[in-house]
Amino acid sequence: MKNDRLWAMQHRFAPYLFVAPFVVLFCIFMLYPLGRSLMLSLYSTAGPRTRRFVGLSNYIYFLRDPLFWFCTLNTIAYAVVFLLVQIPTSLGL
């Protein structure tokens, strides 16, 4: 009887134990930095200890900055050139 309960419990919890390392590492190395960077993007900082909540004004500043749009277009052009030149060339070789 005790052995049957042990096997039933192992059968129920084994998938979670196999997936647990991935979930823990995903939360540590992906979700926490993503959440932290989103939180920090809402603040204006001057050094590691002083920060002031500014809300979405950082995003508004970047959307109005012409250098941001120049860099965005530069990145898009680089990606298009990469897709249209390097990938067919590599497949042809």
Side-chain angles (χ1 to χ4, degrees), residues 1-48:
M1 174 95 173
K2 186 176 183 181
N3 196 15
D4 292 337
R5 286 178 53 198
L6 180 65
W7 281 107
M9 188 170 59
Q10 179 183 0
H11 181 70
R12 184 182 313 154
F13 293 119
Y16 299 110
L17 291 175
F18 283 118
V19 174
F22 166 76
V23 171
V24 169
L25 290 174
F26 181 77
C27 289
I28 290 172
F29 292 108
M30 187 67 180
L31 292 182
Y32 175 73
L34 180 66
R36 182 77 173 156
S37 65
L38 286 174
M39 190 221 27
L40 286 175
S41 73
L42 300 175
Y43 287 89
S44 175
T45 61

Short mmCIF file of all heavy atoms in Angstrom, two decimals, residues 1-48:
data_model
loop_
_atom_site.label_atom_id
_atom_site.label_comp_id
_atom_site.label_asym_id
_atom_site.label_seq_id
_atom_site.Cartn_x
_atom_site.Cartn_y
_atom_site.Cartn_z
N MET A 1 0.82 -1.19 0.00
CA MET A 1 0.00 0.00 0.00
C MET A 1 0.87 1.26 0.00
O MET A 1 0.62 2.18 -0.76
CB MET A 1 -0.92 -0.05 1.23
CG MET A 1 -1.72 1.18 1.43
SD MET A 1 -3.31 0.96 0.68
CE MET A 1 -4.12 2.40 1.22
N LYS A 2 1.88 1.26 0.85
CA LYS A 2 2.74 2.43 0.93
C LYS A 2 3.53 2.61 -0.35
O LYS A 2 3.74 3.74 -0.82
CB LYS A 2 3.67 2.27 2.13
CG LYS A 2 4.51 3.48 2.39
CD LYS A 2 5.33 3.28 3.64
CE LYS A 2 6.11 4.55 3.92
NZ LYS A 2 6.93 4.44 5.09
N ASN A 3 3.95 1.51 -0.94
CA ASN A 3 4.70 1.55 -2.20
C ASN A 3 3.84 2.09 -3.34
O ASN A 3 4.32 2.83 -4.19
CB ASN A 3 5.24 0.16 -2.52
CG ASN A 3 6.33 0.22 -3.56
OD1 ASN A 3 6.88 1.27 -3.83
ND2 ASN A 3 6.63 -0.93 -4.12
N ASP A 4 2.56 1.75 -3.35
CA ASP A 4 1.65 2.24 -4.39
C ASP A 4 1.46 3.75 -4.29
O ASP A 4 1.42 4.46 -5.30
CB ASP A 4 0.28 1.55 -4.29
CG ASP A 4 0.37 0.07 -4.65
OD1 ASP A 4 1.33 -0.29 -5.36
OD2 ASP A 4 -0.50 -0.70 -4.21
N ARG A 5 1.35 4.26 -3.05
CA ARG A 5 1.21 5.70 -2.87
C ARG A 5 2.46 6.44 -3.32
O ARG A 5 2.39 7.52 -3.90
CB ARG A 5 0.91 6.01 -1.40
CG ARG A 5 -0.50 5.65 -1.01
CD ARG A 5 -0.81 5.88 0.44
NE ARG A 5 -0.48 7.25 0.86
CZ ARG A 5 -0.33 7.60 2.11
NH1 ARG A 5 -0.45 6.69 3.08
NH2 ARG A 5 -0.07 8.85 2.43
N LEU A 6 3.61 5.86 -3.06
CA LEU A 6 4.87 6.47 -3.47
C LEU A 6 4.96 6.55 -4.98
O LEU A 6 5.35 7.58 -5.54
CB LEU A 6 6.05 5.69 -2.89
CG LEU A 6 7.43 6.22 -3.24
CD1 LEU A 6 7.64 7.59 -2.61
CD2 LEU A 6 8.50 5.25 -2.77
N TRP A 7 4.58 5.46 -5.67
CA TRP A 7 4.60 5.48 -7.13
C TRP A 7 3.59 6.46 -7.71
O TRP A 7 3.85 7.12 -8.71
CB TRP A 7 4.36 4.08 -7.69
CG TRP A 7 5.58 3.22 -7.62
CD1 TRP A 7 5.80 2.20 -6.77
CD2 TRP A 7 6.74 3.35 -8.43
NE1 TRP A 7 7.05 1.66 -6.99
CE2 TRP A 7 7.65 2.36 -8.01
CE3 TRP A 7 7.12 4.19 -9.45
CZ2 TRP A 7 8.89 2.19 -8.58
CZ3 TRP A 7 8.36 4.02 -10.02
CH2 TRP A 7 9.23 3.04 -9.60
N ALA A 8 2.42 6.55 -7.09
CA ALA A 8 1.40 7.49 -7.57
C ALA A 8 1.88 8.93 -7.40
O ALA A 8 1.69 9.77 -8.29
CB ALA A 8 0.09 7.27 -6.81
N MET A 9 2.52 9.21 -6.27
CA MET A 9 3.04 10.55 -6.03
C MET A 9 4.18 10.87 -7.00
O MET A 9 4.26 11.97 -7.54
CB MET A 9 3.52 10.68 -4.58
CG MET A 9 3.88 12.10 -4.20
SD MET A 9 4.17 12.34 -2.46
CE MET A 9 5.49 11.20 -2.13
N GLN A 10 5.03 9.89 -7.25
CA GLN A 10 6.13 10.10 -8.19
C GLN A 10 5.59 10.31 -9.60
O GLN A 10 6.08 11.17 -10.34
CB GLN A 10 7.07 8.90 -8.17
CG GLN A 10 8.22 9.04 -9.13
CD GLN A 10 9.10 7.81 -9.15
OE1 GLN A 10 8.87 6.84 -8.44
NE2 GLN A 10 10.12 7.84 -9.98
N HIS A 11 4.58 9.58 -9.96
CA HIS A 11 3.98 9.71 -11.29
C HIS A 11 3.35 11.09 -11.45
O HIS A 11 3.39 11.68 -12.53
CB HIS A 11 2.93 8.62 -11.49
CG HIS A 11 2.28 8.66 -12.83
ND1 HIS A 11 2.94 8.35 -13.99
CD2 HIS A 11 1.01 8.99 -13.19
CE1 HIS A 11 2.12 8.48 -15.01
NE2 HIS A 11 0.93 8.87 -14.56
N ARG A 12 2.78 11.64 -10.38
CA ARG A 12 2.12 12.93 -10.44
C ARG A 12 3.12 14.08 -10.47
O ARG A 12 2.93 15.04 -11.21
CB ARG A 12 1.20 13.09 -9.24
CG ARG A 12 0.41 14.38 -9.29
CD ARG A 12 -0.47 14.58 -8.07
NE ARG A 12 -1.23 13.39 -7.75
CZ ARG A 12 -1.67 13.09 -6.54
NH1 ARG A 12 -1.42 13.89 -5.53
NH2 ARG A 12 -2.36 11.99 -6.33
N PHE A 13 4.20 14.03 -9.70
CA PHE A 13 5.11 15.16 -9.56
C PHE A 13 6.36 15.09 -10.43
O PHE A 13 7.10 16.07 -10.51
CB PHE A 13 5.54 15.32 -8.09
CG PHE A 13 4.42 15.73 -7.20
CD1 PHE A 13 4.02 14.91 -6.15
CD2 PHE A 13 3.74 16.92 -7.41
CE1 PHE A 13 2.98 15.29 -5.32
CE2 PHE A 13 2.70 17.29 -6.59
CZ PHE A 13 2.31 16.47 -5.54
N ALA A 14 6.61 13.99 -11.09
CA ALA A 14 7.82 13.84 -11.91
C ALA A 14 7.91 14.88 -13.04
O ALA A 14 8.97 15.47 -13.23
CB ALA A 14 7.93 12.43 -12.46
N PRO A 15 6.85 15.13 -13.77
CA PRO A 15 6.97 16.15 -14.84
C PRO A 15 7.35 17.53 -14.30
O PRO A 15 8.13 18.25 -14.92
CB PRO A 15 5.59 16.18 -15.49
CG PRO A 15 4.97 14.88 -15.15
CD PRO A 15 5.54 14.47 -13.83
N TYR A 16 6.80 17.90 -13.16
CA TYR A 16 7.12 19.20 -12.58
C TYR A 16 8.57 19.27 -12.14
O TYR A 16 9.21 20.32 -12.25
CB TYR A 16 6.19 19.50 -11.40
CG TYR A 16 4.74 19.55 -11.80
CD1 TYR A 16 3.86 18.55 -11.40
CD2 TYR A 16 4.26 20.60 -12.58
CE1 TYR A 16 2.53 18.59 -11.77
CE2 TYR A 16 2.93 20.65 -12.97
CZ TYR A 16 2.07 19.64 -12.55
OH TYR A 16 0.77 19.69 -12.93
N LEU A 17 9.11 18.18 -11.65
CA LEU A 17 10.51 18.18 -11.23
C LEU A 17 11.45 18.27 -12.43
O LEU A 17 12.52 18.86 -12.34
CB LEU A 17 10.81 16.92 -10.40
CG LEU A 17 10.16 16.89 -9.02
CD1 LEU A 17 10.43 15.55 -8.35
CD2 LEU A 17 10.66 18.03 -8.16
N PHE A 18 11.06 17.70 -13.54
CA PHE A 18 11.89 17.79 -14.74
C PHE A 18 11.86 19.20 -15.35
O PHE A 18 12.83 19.66 -15.93
CB PHE A 18 11.45 16.77 -15.79
CG PHE A 18 11.89 15.37 -15.49
CD1 PHE A 18 10.97 14.37 -15.29
CD2 PHE A 18 13.24 15.07 -15.42
CE1 PHE A 18 11.38 13.09 -15.02
CE2 PHE A 18 13.66 13.79 -15.14
CZ PHE A 18 12.73 12.78 -14.93
N VAL A 19 10.73 19.88 -15.25
CA VAL A 19 10.58 21.21 -15.82
C VAL A 19 11.08 22.30 -14.87
O VAL A 19 11.42 23.39 -15.31
CB VAL A 19 9.10 21.43 -16.21
CG1 VAL A 19 8.85 22.84 -16.67
CG2 VAL A 19 8.69 20.44 -17.28
N ALA A 20 11.18 22.01 -13.59
CA ALA A 20 11.54 23.01 -12.59
C ALA A 20 12.88 23.71 -12.86
O ALA A 20 12.94 24.95 -12.71
CB ALA A 20 11.54 22.39 -11.20
N PRO A 21 13.96 23.05 -13.27
CA PRO A 21 15.20 23.79 -13.52
C PRO A 21 15.04 24.84 -14.63
O PRO A 21 15.55 25.96 -14.50
CB PRO A 21 16.19 22.71 -13.93
CG PRO A 21 15.68 21.46 -13.34
CD PRO A 21 14.19 21.60 -13.34
N PHE A 22 14.33 24.51 -15.68
CA PHE A 22 14.10 25.49 -16.74
C PHE A 22 13.31 26.68 -16.23
O PHE A 22 13.65 27.82 -16.53
CB PHE A 22 13.38 24.85 -17.93
CG PHE A 22 12.84 25.88 -18.88
CD1 PHE A 22 13.70 26.53 -19.74
CD2 PHE A 22 11.50 26.21 -18.89
CE1 PHE A 22 13.22 27.50 -20.62
CE2 PHE A 22 11.01 27.17 -19.75
CZ PHE A 22 11.88 27.82 -20.62
N VAL A 23 12.26 26.42 -15.48
CA VAL A 23 11.41 27.51 -14.99
C VAL A 23 12.20 28.42 -14.06
O VAL A 23 12.12 29.65 -14.16
CB VAL A 23 10.15 26.94 -14.29
CG1 VAL A 23 9.37 28.03 -13.59
CG2 VAL A 23 9.28 26.21 -15.29
N VAL A 24 13.00 27.85 -13.17
CA VAL A 24 13.79 28.66 -12.24
C VAL A 24 14.82 29.49 -13.01
O VAL A 24 14.95 30.70 -12.78
CB VAL A 24 14.48 27.75 -11.20
CG1 VAL A 24 15.51 28.53 -10.40
CG2 VAL A 24 13.45 27.13 -10.28
N LEU A 25 15.54 28.90 -13.94
CA LEU A 25 16.55 29.64 -14.70
C LEU A 25 15.90 30.68 -15.61
O LEU A 25 16.44 31.78 -15.79
CB LEU A 25 17.40 28.68 -15.52
CG LEU A 25 18.35 27.81 -14.70
CD1 LEU A 25 19.03 26.78 -15.60
CD2 LEU A 25 19.37 28.64 -13.98
N PHE A 26 14.75 30.37 -16.18
CA PHE A 26 14.04 31.33 -17.01
C PHE A 26 13.61 32.55 -16.20
O PHE A 26 13.76 33.68 -16.65
CB PHE A 26 12.81 30.67 -17.65
CG PHE A 26 12.03 31.57 -18.55
CD1 PHE A 26 12.49 31.86 -19.81
CD2 PHE A 26 10.84 32.13 -18.12
CE1 PHE A 26 11.77 32.70 -20.66
CE2 PHE A 26 10.11 32.97 -18.95
CZ PHE A 26 10.58 33.25 -20.21
N CYS A 27 13.11 32.32 -15.01
CA CYS A 27 12.70 33.44 -14.16
C CYS A 27 13.90 34.27 -13.72
O CYS A 27 13.83 35.50 -13.70
CB CYS A 27 11.94 32.92 -12.94
SG CYS A 27 10.31 32.28 -13.33
N ILE A 28 15.01 33.62 -13.38
CA ILE A 28 16.18 34.34 -12.90
C ILE A 28 16.83 35.14 -14.02
O ILE A 28 17.16 36.32 -13.84
CB ILE A 28 17.20 33.37 -12.27
CG1 ILE A 28 16.67 32.82 -10.96
CG2 ILE A 28 18.54 34.04 -12.05
CD1 ILE A 28 17.51 31.71 -10.38
N PHE A 29 17.01 34.55 -15.17
CA PHE A 29 17.78 35.18 -16.24
C PHE A 29 16.95 35.86 -17.31
O PHE A 29 17.50 36.53 -18.19
CB PHE A 29 18.72 34.17 -16.90
CG PHE A 29 19.80 33.70 -15.99
CD1 PHE A 29 19.79 32.43 -15.47
CD2 PHE A 29 20.83 34.55 -15.63
CE1 PHE A 29 20.79 32.00 -14.61
CE2 PHE A 29 21.84 34.15 -14.78
CZ PHE A 29 21.81 32.87 -14.26
N MET A 30 15.61 35.73 -17.29
CA MET A 30 14.80 36.37 -18.31
C MET A 30 13.74 37.28 -17.71
O MET A 30 13.68 38.46 -18.04
CB MET A 30 14.14 35.30 -19.20
CG MET A 30 13.43 35.83 -20.37
SD MET A 30 14.59 36.56 -21.53
CE MET A 30 13.48 37.08 -22.78
N LEU A 31 12.89 36.76 -16.86
CA LEU A 31 11.78 37.55 -16.35
C LEU A 31 12.22 38.65 -15.40
O LEU A 31 11.74 39.78 -15.48
CB LEU A 31 10.76 36.64 -15.67
CG LEU A 31 10.01 35.70 -16.59
CD1 LEU A 31 8.99 34.88 -15.81
CD2 LEU A 31 9.33 36.46 -17.70
N TYR A 32 13.14 38.36 -14.47
CA TYR A 32 13.59 39.38 -13.54
C TYR A 32 14.30 40.53 -14.26
O TYR A 32 13.96 41.69 -14.01
CB TYR A 32 14.49 38.78 -12.45
CG TYR A 32 15.08 39.84 -11.55
CD1 TYR A 32 14.29 40.48 -10.61
CD2 TYR A 32 16.41 40.21 -11.66
CE1 TYR A 32 14.81 41.47 -9.80
CE2 TYR A 32 16.94 41.19 -10.86
CZ TYR A 32 16.14 41.81 -9.92
OH TYR A 32 16.67 42.79 -9.13
N PRO A 33 15.28 40.28 -15.15
CA PRO A 33 15.90 41.41 -15.84
C PRO A 33 14.91 42.19 -16.71
O PRO A 33 15.01 43.42 -16.82
CB PRO A 33 16.99 40.77 -16.71
CG PRO A 33 17.29 39.49 -16.03
CD PRO A 33 16.00 39.04 -15.44
N LEU A 34 13.97 41.51 -17.34
CA LEU A 34 12.98 42.21 -18.16
C LEU A 34 12.12 43.12 -17.31
O LEU A 34 11.90 44.29 -17.64
CB LEU A 34 12.12 41.19 -18.91
CG LEU A 34 11.05 41.76 -19.81
CD1 LEU A 34 11.68 42.53 -20.97
CD2 LEU A 34 10.16 40.66 -20.32
N GLY A 35 11.62 42.62 -16.21
CA GLY A 35 10.81 43.44 -15.32
C GLY A 35 11.59 44.58 -14.71
O GLY A 35 11.09 45.71 -14.59
N ARG A 36 12.83 44.31 -14.32
CA ARG A 36 13.68 45.35 -13.74
C ARG A 36 13.98 46.46 -14.75
O ARG A 36 13.94 47.64 -14.42
CB ARG A 36 14.97 44.72 -13.24
CG ARG A 36 15.92 45.64 -12.59
CD ARG A 36 15.49 45.97 -11.19
NE ARG A 36 16.56 46.74 -10.58
CZ ARG A 36 16.39 47.55 -9.60
NH1 ARG A 36 15.21 47.67 -9.05
NH2 ARG A 36 17.39 48.23 -9.11
N SER A 37 14.26 46.10 -16.00
CA SER A 37 14.55 47.11 -17.01
C SER A 37 13.30 47.93 -17.34
O SER A 37 13.40 49.14 -17.57
CB SER A 37 15.13 46.47 -18.26
OG SER A 37 14.18 45.65 -18.87
N LEU A 38 12.13 47.31 -17.35
CA LEU A 38 10.90 48.07 -17.58
C LEU A 38 10.63 49.03 -16.43
O LEU A 38 10.21 50.17 -16.64
CB LEU A 38 9.72 47.13 -17.77
CG LEU A 38 9.67 46.40 -19.10
CD1 LEU A 38 8.53 45.39 -19.10
CD2 LEU A 38 9.53 47.37 -20.23
N MET A 39 10.91 48.59 -15.19
CA MET A 39 10.72 49.47 -14.06
C MET A 39 11.72 50.63 -14.10
O MET A 39 11.36 51.78 -13.86
CB MET A 39 10.89 48.70 -12.75
CG MET A 39 10.46 49.52 -11.56
SD MET A 39 11.42 49.49 -10.05
CE MET A 39 13.05 49.13 -10.45
N LEU A 40 12.98 50.35 -14.43
CA LEU A 40 13.99 51.40 -14.48
C LEU A 40 13.75 52.37 -15.62
O LEU A 40 14.20 53.53 -15.55
CB LEU A 40 15.39 50.78 -14.59
CG LEU A 40 15.94 50.14 -13.33
CD1 LEU A 40 17.26 49.46 -13.62
CD2 LEU A 40 16.10 51.16 -12.22
N SER A 41 13.07 51.94 -16.66
CA SER A 41 12.81 52.86 -17.78
C SER A 41 11.81 53.94 -17.41
O SER A 41 11.69 54.93 -18.12
CB SER A 41 12.31 52.08 -18.99
OG SER A 41 10.99 51.63 -18.78
N LEU A 42 11.12 53.77 -16.31
CA LEU A 42 10.16 54.78 -15.87
C LEU A 42 10.77 55.80 -14.92
O LEU A 42 10.08 56.67 -14.42
CB LEU A 42 8.97 54.09 -15.19
CG LEU A 42 8.20 53.11 -16.07
CD1 LEU A 42 7.14 52.40 -15.25
CD2 LEU A 42 7.60 53.80 -17.26
N TYR A 43 12.08 55.70 -14.67
CA TYR A 43 12.76 56.59 -13.74
C TYR A 43 13.86 57.36 -14.45
O TYR A 43 14.42 56.91 -15.44
CB TYR A 43 13.39 55.79 -12.59
CG TYR A 43 12.39 55.27 -11.60
CD1 TYR A 43 11.80 54.02 -11.78
CD2 TYR A 43 12.05 56.01 -10.48
CE1 TYR A 43 10.88 53.54 -10.87
CE2 TYR A 43 11.13 55.53 -9.57
CZ TYR A 43 10.56 54.31 -9.76
OH TYR A 43 9.64 53.83 -8.87
N SER A 44 14.18 58.53 -13.91
CA SER A 44 15.34 59.30 -14.33
C SER A 44 16.39 59.14 -13.24
O SER A 44 16.11 59.43 -12.07
CB SER A 44 14.97 60.77 -14.51
OG SER A 44 16.12 61.52 -14.81
N THR A 45 17.57 58.66 -13.60
CA THR A 45 18.58 58.38 -12.59
C THR A 45 19.78 59.30 -12.75
O THR A 45 20.10 59.75 -13.84
CB THR A 45 19.08 56.92 -12.69
OG1 THR A 45 19.66 56.73 -13.97
CG2 THR A 45 17.95 55.93 -12.49
N ALA A 46 20.40 59.57 -11.62
CA ALA A 46 21.65 60.33 -11.59
C ALA A 46 22.56 59.61 -10.60
O ALA A 46 22.67 59.98 -9.44
CB ALA A 46 21.41 61.77 -11.17
N GLY A 47 23.17 58.54 -11.08
CA GLY A 47 23.98 57.71 -10.19
C GLY A 47 23.18 56.53 -9.70
O GLY A 47 22.00 56.38 -10.00
N PRO A 48 23.83 55.68 -8.93
CA PRO A 48 23.15 54.45 -8.51
C PRO A 48 22.12 54.64 -7.40
O PRO A 48 21.28 53.80 -7.20
CB PRO A 48 24.30 53.56 -8.04
CG PRO A 48 25.37 54.51 -7.64
CD PRO A 48 25.23 55.70 -8.54
#
